[in-house]
Amino acid sequence: LKGGAGDPVLARRRSRSEIGARLLAGHGAVAMDKIMPAVGGLVGLWAASKVLPVMYRWELIPGVGSPAYWERANKINYHHYSEGIVYSPYDTGDPIREMPPECAGKMYLRQKGGGWKLQSEM
């Protein structure tokens, strides 16, 4: 009879599946459950040690400024608003001292009696 209790092929299949089940439920799986989180933690620490210094230099960490940021921030003079310095979105080191022609007459001014008007309308 094929497939009966005395079939050697079926006995081999059973023994292989029993061995696999023992390995999965045995000490190997338990050790992997303990080791892999530690390995993942070490990989995370290694990645953080490579990424965080770059994030610090590029001021990508909210609320944290690098020494280069504070050095540059201390050099900014915000008292030029009445002296004709035009603030540019790009800091090139030398401020723009002349108003670009396309910006002339575009200042939005508040009126004494209330309301707002463009400088060119006055």
Side-chain angles (χ1 to χ4, degrees):
L1 288 170
K2 285 194 172 187
D7 187 13
V9 174
L10 186 60
R12 251 186 269 132
R13 287 185 188 156
R14 282 185 192 151
S15 65
R16 286 182 187 161
S17 64
E18 288 173 10
I19 290 171
R22 286 181 191 156
L23 284 175
L24 288 176
H27 300 291
V30 172
M32 288 304 253
D33 286 345
K34 303 265 189 245
I35 292 172
M36 289 314 289
V39 170
L42 289 173
V43 169
L45 283 173
W46 175 81
S49 73
K50 300 296 180 189
V51 171
L52 283 176
V54 173
M55 291 177 66
Y56 179 69
R57 279 191 304 262
W58 292 356
E59 286 98 26
L60 296 175
I61 303 170
V64 177
S66 68
Y69 168 81
W70 291 112
E71 180 183 329
R72 188 70 180 150
N74 289 333
K75 291 181 182 178
I76 297 174
N77 186 356
Y78 292 101
H79 304 293
H80 289 300
Y81 64 90
S82 63
E83 298 172 12
I85 299 294
V86 179
Y87 288 102
S88 166
Y90 302 104
D91 184 9
T92 59
D94 185 32
I96 301 170
R97 290 182 172 83
E98 296 177 8
M99 184 177 293
E102 62 270 8
C103 297
K106 304 286 184 182
M107 196 174 351
Y108 205 46
L109 302 172
R110 185 172 178 197
Q111 304 300 306
K112 288 183 182 179
W116 294 84
K117 280 189 180 179
L118 283 174
Q119 183 182 9
S120 60
E121 296 174 0
M122 297 186 71

